[in-house]
Amino acid sequence: MQNFPELTRAEEQVMQVLWQRGPSFVKDVLAEMPAPQPAYNTVSTIIRILEQKGFVGHEAFGRTHCYHSLVAQDDYRRFSLRKLLGGHFGGSFSRLVSFFAKEEDLDAKQLEELLRHAQQDRNPDDDALPNDGRPA
């Protein structure tokens, strides 16, 4: 598992914008931030911190910079989920699902739908067997 430094809520918000928009200038990131929007200098500072943490890189255009993500969103999602599982559910995905089902008061039909979506999202190669029927 790839380890990442801890991100603050504001840092995660900026990363969400970069993952969604792709390469962006500070003013573009600021325009996508939810209200109340932080100051331009605040966003600029957050981006520089993300650069120091290894999440963001930039390309210089004179005195301005275009920033881009160096960390794939799925890699960070995987890291965050494993951290959540380890810290709050003893590393057990079934405990997480059980907690979620209780908190959201899911019925059997909703749980079946959740399982169906999870199975559809799995990589078909995960279950592939060689021609002789033995597991790969």
Side-chain angles (χ1 to χ4, degrees), residues 20-114:
Q20 180 183 0
R21 286 186 48 90
S24 304
F25 296 95
V26 173
K27 67 178 178 65
D28 300 324
V29 173
L30 181 60
E32 298 291 325
M33 300 289 286
Q37 289 183 332
Y40 179 96
N41 287 342
T42 301
V43 174
S44 180
T45 299
I46 292 168
I47 290 174
R48 283 195 310 273
I49 291 168
L50 286 166
E51 205 166 14
Q52 291 171 353
K53 289 183 174 184
F55 279 83
V56 172
H58 74 269
E59 184 177 349
F61 294 96
R63 293 181 54 198
T64 189
H65 297 95
C66 184
Y67 297 95
H68 58 274
S69 171
L70 296 175
V71 173
Q73 187 175 24
D74 281 346
D75 290 342
Y76 190 72
R77 279 183 184 152
R78 218 171 280 111
F79 164 77
S80 295
L81 181 58
R82 286 188 177 129
K83 184 175 177 208
L84 175 71
L85 284 174
H88 298 283
F89 299 98
S92 169
F93 184 73
S94 55
R95 284 185 192 167
L96 169 72
V97 172
S98 175
F99 174 80
F100 180 72
K102 288 176 190 172
E103 283 296 306
E104 297 299 317
D105 196 25
L106 299 180
D107 60 27
K109 183 179 177 182
Q110 291 170 314
L111 286 171
E112 286 175 17
E113 185 176 332
L114 179 64

